Amino acid sequence: MKIRLTIISILLLLSTQITYAQHSVAREWNEVLLEAIRNDFARPTVHARNLFHVSAAMYDAWALFDETADTYFLGKTISGFEFDFPPSFSPTGDPVAEREKAISYAAYRILKHRFEFSPGAAESIPLIDSLMTELGYDLEFTSTNFQNRDAAAVGNYIAQKVIEFGLQDGSNEQFGYGNFFYQPVNSYTFNTLDPVLAGNPRIADPNRWQPLQFGTFIDQSGNPLPSSVPTFLGAEWGQVVPFSLKITDLTIHNRDNYDYWVYHDPGPPPYLDTAGVDLSEHYKWTFSLVSTWSSHLDPTDGVMWDISPASIGNNPDFPQSFDEYKEYYDIINGGDQSLGWEINPATGEPYEPQIVPRADYARVLAEFWADGPDSETPPGHWFTILNYVNDHPDLIKKYRGEGEILDDLEWDIKSYMLLAGTMHDAAIAAWGVKGWYDYIRPISALRYMTDLGQSTDPELPNYHPAGIPLIDEFIELIEEGDSLVTARDSAELIGTIKLKAWKGHFYIDDPDSSSAGVGWIPAGEWWSYQRPSFVTPPFAGYVSGHSTFSRAAADAITFLTGSEYFPGGMGEFFAPKNEFLVFEEGPSVDVTLQWATYQDASDQTSLSRIWGGIHPPADDIPGRIIGIEVAKDATALADQLFNNTMVSISSDGSVEKNSGLSLYPNPVQKGIPLQIQFNTLSANLEINVYNILGQKVLSQKVGNHRFFQLNTSSLSTGIYLIQTKGLNLNITKKIMVIK
């Protein structure tokens, strides 16, 4: 059995023996949550939401005891759900002990609820209970009556409200997070791909996601699923209530009478015209690159790279056009246009080179960023990186690198709230795109194109305008006398496509002692560099969730720490020789992944998915761009909460301080909630809506809240006056409702 030692997650290897006193109570609950995620189904969307709800609940419990910070849930109305709580509430008793108690009860109740029916509940629930017991709290205390200002009841109340909120936030939690409306064009019954069988003869549309069929499907966390054809995870996730995503950045598409909500809509991916009218060059290039990079996975090929920050990292601007894509990614040799870094800013010395086989670097990247067989999923993975950063002796815990040094609890609470809100919004944005554009994965696209033939030369055999382009030494035609024909004694291969690629699982006798290597294979046998029981995630490719999560996380941690660099100028992950890789032997030498900056780590994440055969470049760059936008909004809102500085969002989506209130979007589409944001708290606020005849058509009590969503479904198109009435706030503004 292979041992997987990591610097980043060393505590997690000791999850059954966590020494709780070494960290803040928030960190202790975060570690337990990450372990529960590893024991659950590998669902990035679901666990981004779990991380957010638990982190926000702990934050609110902490903020009640803070003189500056504003709560997120308590006393607010979020998407029509009221978190009733008296604004004058003040806890009693020792503030340190009571704060930790409230945090613990809030986290404990949510974790017990969310993981009660997890496939790993037998491991997770005792771990959750054991931390509560270790902290000295009564597991049987369930009261939510906070009127006597008991911190345990406050924590229970926060948890109860978050759980209730989660049952109506658009995630379909009560129905197992399933889709209600989505159905794939390539159906679950007739158009699946069985990767064990050659080719892709059953696909109906090569531009849309295709379900895979397995003997047994085992997800990224190692859990077998009951169905041999996994369904699309999170196709309708765009409608989940976000942390900070703005209505002004929302596009609503409709298919089959269902509205797909897409934030930061990147537009469509490159499509393949099967009739050959459009040459579809971008589609063919982006998936062909995945095939050529598959040829980089043989450590005996003699190609050596310096993988230190001296050579890798510090990337140029993202490509915008197809021609720029072809310059940004090296289709033949692999990698991007990294400039590297001359000097470690922490030491003032050059980064020391680390020369390793390119194949070992690529394989370790693919395995590490896929999170391996005990996945905490990408959002959870970035929490392990955050915890690694938080434990680094060179980290100075100043928020945004300024002001006073924060104690461990305040730092952890704020860092988790900020990163969790970012990860939650990244999931909503990425999966909103995935659900709407419903884009194909590389294994389906490559097998489909190569089934058709080659599209390079009409004078050569097996020509089809929608086939794959030929690339000498990587994508070629099988000719008479080819070693593949001789070895298999199969003349039927003559004239078909062959790929120089990772040869796949049939060439691995024992994962602990052998590897598949690279060689020429019939194109219909191409595999992604993943476990044979997994192959590719059960949801559409465009956009890459890894790219979105990682760039958003990198920007969030940069914002939090006030520095783009890892503490000490470098973050590291050690993969020991012949111990780290899971489904084949390797790496052939010790490999230490190294990153100067958080963005460097994010960029490597994106490349890992190409070498892993999961995403083409077309999925990657739009995901990174969305991640940047998500992080901007999430960090702005988190900063507002931490400092209790009210901001308003103008109609163009910019954030600015002002007085009064803001309404957005305006004009508002009928049926879309009107976001109302107050800049001043006022007791017993009430909102009245009047039509142009002066008739009151809607009235709503708001209470003492700063955020409110007005349901416009009952309003006809036209102009209305919004009047707010309260002790200190009386404002009238005009809105327009449109179709």
Side-chain angles (χ1 to χ4, degrees), residues 42-49 177 179 182 209 231-240 245 250-251 253 255 258-266 371 377-379 422-439 441 534 537-550 609 614-615 622-623 626 630:
R43 300 176 290 188
T45 51
V46 172
H47 295 310
R49 175 176 171 271
Y177 305 100
N179 302 317
Y182 170 84
W209 178 70
T231 57
F232 192 130
L233 170 68
E236 299 159 10
W237 205 258
Q239 288 206 23
V240 173
L245 295 173
L250 173 66
T251 303
H253 300 281
R255 182 173 64 235
Y258 177 74
D259 287 339
Y260 287 86
W261 287 29
V262 180
Y263 292 92
H264 302 292
D265 189 345
D371 305 326
T377 72
T422 306
M423 294 295 89
H424 180 53
D425 283 358
I428 293 170
W431 263 256
V433 175
K434 287 177 183 288
W436 170 242
Y437 289 108
D438 196 34
Y439 199 50
R441 291 281 187 171
F534 177 72
F539 39 81
Y542 183 78
V543 294
S544 167
H546 273 70
S547 293
T548 311
F549 282 128
S550 296
R609 304 306 276 171
I614 296 299
H615 287 290
I626 292 173
V630 165

Side-chain angles (χ1 to χ4, degrees), residues 128-186:
I128 296 167
D129 286 342
S130 69
L131 175 54
M132 199 68 169
T133 301
E134 181 80 13
L135 293 171
Y137 300 131
D138 181 3
L139 276 63
E140 304 303 320
F141 181 80
T142 60
S143 172
T144 59
N145 183 5
F146 55 81
Q147 299 303 326
N148 61 359
R149 297 186 289 178
D150 178 76
V154 170
N156 284 338
Y157 176 78
I158 293 172
Q160 175 185 300
K161 299 303 288 185
V162 171
I163 290 168
E164 291 173 359
F165 172 71
L167 295 176
Q168 55 86 69
D169 70 345
S171 66
N172 297 334
E173 178 187 337
Q174 61 270 50
F175 298 103
Y177 305 100
N179 302 317
F180 284 154
F181 300 95
Y182 170 84
Q183 289 295 326
V185 170
N186 296 303

Side-chain angles (χ1 to χ4, degrees), residues 34 44-45 47-48 51 376-384 419 423 549:
L34 290 172
T45 51
H47 295 310
L51 285 160
E376 60 263 337
T377 72
H381 196 159
W382 276 95
F383 268 81
T384 69
L419 182 59
M423 294 295 89
F549 282 128

Side-chain angles (χ1 to χ4, degrees), residues 49-57 73 110 114 162 165-166 169:
R49 175 176 171 271
N50 284 332
L51 285 160
F52 172 56
H53 284 177
V54 172
S55 298
F73 284 128
I110 297 174
R114 292 284 168 83
V162 171
F165 172 71
D169 70 345

Side-chain angles (χ1 to χ4, degrees), residues 22-269:
Q22 293 179 348
H23 294 290
S24 76
V25 70
R27 170 67 175 271
E28 293 161 11
W29 283 112
N30 179 258
E31 294 284 6
V32 169
L33 170 55
L34 290 172
E35 190 61 21
I37 290 173
R38 295 185 191 99
N39 293 331
D40 195 31
F41 293 116
R43 300 176 290 188
T45 51
V46 172
H47 295 310
R49 175 176 171 271
N50 284 332
L51 285 160
F52 172 56
H53 284 177
V54 172
S55 298
M58 292 196 299
Y59 169 80
D60 269 17
W62 174 88
L64 284 175
F65 295 80
D66 189 78
E67 294 181 356
T68 300
D70 189 13
T71 56
Y72 174 72
F73 284 128
L74 293 179
K76 308 293 176 57
T77 297
I78 299 176
S79 191
F81 185 92
E82 292 191 12
F83 289 84
D84 293 324
F85 202 77
S88 59
F89 179 85
S90 59
T92 60
D94 175 21
V96 174
E98 294 299 282
R99 170 181 269 167
E100 292 188 351
K101 183 187 292 185
I103 289 170
S104 294
Y105 273 93
Y108 175 71
R109 296 296 172 201
I110 297 174
L111 287 171
K112 287 288 290 273
H113 169 77
R114 292 284 168 83
F115 294 97
E116 180 181 6
F117 300 108
S118 165
E123 292 79 29
S124 299
I125 298 303
L127 186 62
I128 296 167
D129 286 342
S130 69
L131 175 54
M132 199 68 169
T133 301
E134 181 80 13
L135 293 171
Y137 300 131
D138 181 3
L139 276 63
E140 304 303 320
F141 181 80
T142 60
S143 172
T144 59
N145 183 5
F146 55 81
Q147 299 303 326
N148 61 359
R149 297 186 289 178
D150 178 76
V154 170
N156 284 338
Y157 176 78
I158 293 172
Q160 175 185 300
K161 299 303 288 185
V162 171
I163 290 168
E164 291 173 359
F165 172 71
L167 295 176
Q168 55 86 69
D169 70 345
S171 66
N172 297 334
E173 178 187 337
Q174 61 270 50
F175 298 103
Y177 305 100
N179 302 317
F180 284 154
F181 300 95
Y182 170 84
Q183 289 295 326
V185 170
N186 296 303
S187 77
Y188 295 119
T189 304
F190 301 109
N191 306 119
T192 60
L193 169 62
D194 184 344
V196 174
L197 304 178
N200 191 3
R202 302 176 67 183
I203 191 169
D205 187 339
N207 293 306
R208 302 291 285 276
W209 178 70
Q210 180 183 30
L212 300 187
Q213 182 174 347
F214 298 85
T216 301
F217 176 73
I218 300 177
D219 73 9
Q220 196 70 24
S221 292
N223 297 301
L225 269 64
S227 173
S228 61
V229 181
T231 57
F232 192 130
L233 170 68
E236 299 159 10
W237 205 258
Q239 288 206 23
V240 173
V241 176
F243 169 57
S244 63
L245 295 173
K246 301 174 187 170
I247 293 294
T248 50
D249 293 319
L250 173 66
T251 303
I252 299 178
H253 300 281
N254 187 278
R255 182 173 64 235
D256 300 331
N257 295 319
Y258 177 74
D259 287 339
Y260 287 86
W261 287 29
V262 180
Y263 292 92
H264 302 292
D265 189 345

